[in-house]
Amino acid sequence: MKYAKRDAKDYAREHMRGIWAAALNPFHEDGSFNEDGLRHNIRHWIDDLEIAGLFIAGKQGEFFSMSLEERKRNIEIAVEECDGKAATIMSASDQNFDTVLELARHAQDCGADYVVVHAPMLHFVTDPDETVYNYYKLLCDRLDIGIAMWSHPDSGYLMSPELCARVAELPNIVAIKYSVPREMYVRLTHMVGDKIQVSTASEDDWLDNIEELGWRLYLCSSPPYQLQTKTDRRMHDYTQLAFAGKFDVARKIRDSLDPVREAIRGTKPGGKPQAHGKYWQELLGQVGGPVRAPLLQLTEEEKARTRAAFDACGLKH
């Protein structure tokens, strides 16, 4: 690790910045993990797009369909390919607490920068706040690596800003990916100041959050490598302009991506975000491949509609 546990917050405050992307995991047609394909994608994301950090083995990466050994290998590959050129945050999310610890310790031993752990699904609980606080406290007690919280509707509830602020006091909690309505993450941002990094996956709000909330971290989803190519890096460009305080110019560049956003939104079938994202990657020259069960594949009609929208959206490729 690049920092001691007691220094995790300070280290993240200095280094956890810029655009971070959540990696989709490529699989072969037989369903096996396409390690070479992932390496190819990571090289493009870092070398061509200058993405600052990668979120590995999360929901986009279909961690729920992967074996423990595959998830460990996923972590190893990302550390090897990033090799100091980009940062890493490894998903150790799982319903089994021992699995979370095993994955997080593996990430720690491999040289990952941080781990992210989503709030657990709860059953028959009458005191959810105390349960979730204790969950993250146990993780902090047993791990040295910096930990990001992750609250999203799939857990069956959302962590309140007050609960998040309480968890943020723990020594190696460094960030939160807060997939909630904007008013909730605005309130949390004001509550925690610069104690931890607050972020959300909405690229639509990224520029506004830089300007209005002083955010410096996009954590994270697939737009950084779906909206951009080697010769068309408008998300990177408008972000750098916004960081420099040039918001009027940044906004014009951001808004110029609306046809690309609409092409993605207008062709993405409900319930098939990973399958659609992988096919869009293929259209961009990245490695995609099929999704794993129980996810549904795109139909040929859905692919044709997506391909037509891609060709017309104005993304230079």
Side-chain angles (χ1 to χ4, degrees), residues 114-175:
Y114 317 97
V115 295
V116 58
V117 181
H118 69 55
M121 290 182 287
L122 301 177
H123 309 280
F124 308 113
V125 172
T126 57
D127 194 353
D129 280 15
E130 195 62 30
T131 303
V132 174
Y133 176 80
N134 188 61
Y135 178 78
Y136 282 110
K137 185 178 186 304
L138 286 171
L139 289 174
C140 287
D141 288 345
R142 299 182 189 186
L143 297 169
D144 294 326
I145 196 168
I147 301 168
M149 299 175 274
W150 185 10
S151 180
H152 55 71
D154 291 1
S155 295
Y157 61 95
L158 295 175
M159 294 172 63
S160 69
E162 291 74 19
L163 173 58
C164 295
R166 183 185 175 199
V167 176
E169 297 291 334
L170 294 168
N172 47 325
I173 295 291
V174 300

Side-chain angles (χ1 to χ4, degrees), residues 33-65:
F33 185 24
N34 187 344
E35 295 188 8
D36 290 340
L38 178 60
R39 290 181 187 276
H40 174 274
N41 287 346
I42 291 175
R43 291 265 50 84
H44 168 61
W45 299 339
I46 296 173
D47 297 341
D48 299 333
L49 305 183
E50 293 189 57
I51 291 173
L54 297 181
F55 182 119
I56 298 296
K59 289 194 299 178
Q60 294 280 4
E62 301 175 61
F63 81 87
F64 45 80
S65 72

Side-chain angles (χ1 to χ4, degrees), residues 31-300:
S32 58
F33 185 24
N34 187 344
E35 295 188 8
D36 290 340
L38 178 60
R39 290 181 187 276
H40 174 274
N41 287 346
I42 291 175
R43 291 265 50 84
H44 168 61
W45 299 339
I46 296 173
D47 297 341
D48 299 333
L49 305 183
E50 293 189 57
I51 291 173
L54 297 181
F55 182 119
I56 298 296
K59 289 194 299 178
Q60 294 280 4
E62 301 175 61
F63 81 87
F64 45 80
S65 72
M66 299 176 76
S67 68
L68 183 58
E69 290 309 310
E70 285 178 320
R71 294 179 71 181
K72 288 182 176 180
R73 185 63 182 146
N74 202 178
I75 289 170
E76 293 165 4
I77 291 169
V79 171
E80 290 170 10
E81 291 298 327
C82 288
D83 192 28
K85 297 176 183 176
T88 54
I89 184 166
M90 309 301 188
S91 173
S93 299
D94 202 89
Q95 275 300 102
N96 183 284
F97 188 76
D98 289 340
T99 298
V100 174
L101 284 177
E102 186 170 348
L103 287 167
R105 286 171 177 153
H106 186 71
Q108 197 170 271
D109 294 342
C110 284
D113 293 285
Y114 317 97
V115 295
V116 58
V117 181
H118 69 55
M121 290 182 287
L122 301 177
H123 309 280
F124 308 113
V125 172
T126 57
D127 194 353
D129 280 15
E130 195 62 30
T131 303
V132 174
Y133 176 80
N134 188 61
Y135 178 78
Y136 282 110
K137 185 178 186 304
L138 286 171
L139 289 174
C140 287
D141 288 345
R142 299 182 189 186
L143 297 169
D144 294 326
I145 196 168
I147 301 168
M149 299 175 274
W150 185 10
S151 180
H152 55 71
D154 291 1
S155 295
Y157 61 95
L158 295 175
M159 294 172 63
S160 69
E162 291 74 19
L163 173 58
C164 295
R166 183 185 175 199
V167 176
E169 297 291 334
L170 294 168
N172 47 325
I173 295 291
V174 300
I176 181 170
K177 181 178 179 181
Y178 207 20
S179 305
V180 298
R182 192 169 192 269
E183 60 269 19
M184 291 179 68
Y185 68 68
V186 168
R187 193 162 86 228
L188 178 61
T189 300
H190 294 317
M191 291 173 71
V192 299
D194 65 353
K195 190 170 297 178
I196 66 169
Q197 300 271 19
V198 180
S199 190
T200 195
S202 172
E203 186 271 331
D204 289 349
D205 297 330
W206 170 226
L207 177 54
D208 294 336
N209 291 334
I210 297 172
E211 183 174 14
E212 297 171 19
L213 301 175
W215 282 12
R216 290 296 181 268
L217 173 67
Y218 175 79
L219 184 75
C220 58
S221 191
S222 52
Y225 55 83
Q226 291 181 335
L227 297 178
Q228 302 192 104
T229 70
K230 185 176 182 178
T231 58
D232 187 347
R233 303 193 309 172
R234 279 176 278 175
M235 185 177 178
H236 171 276
D237 294 344
Y238 84 66
T239 296
Q240 295 305 311
L241 286 163
F243 284 169
K246 300 176 181 179
F247 294 109
D248 289 343
V249 182
R251 193 165 288 106
K252 289 178 182 177
I253 296 174
R254 180 200 63 182
D255 292 349
S256 74
L257 280 167
D258 282 346
V260 185
R261 296 186 187 96
E262 184 52 39
I264 294 173
R265 278 195 292 259
T267 58
K268 186 187 299 182
K272 296 183 180 181
Q274 292 96 336
H276 185 269
K278 288 183 179 186
Y279 184 62
W280 191 270
Q281 281 184 281
E282 292 174 6
L283 295 172
L284 285 166
Q286 300 172 38
V287 182
V291 292
R292 282 181 171 177
L295 299 181
L296 299 174
Q297 312 291 349
L298 290 189
T299 65
E300 289 305 314

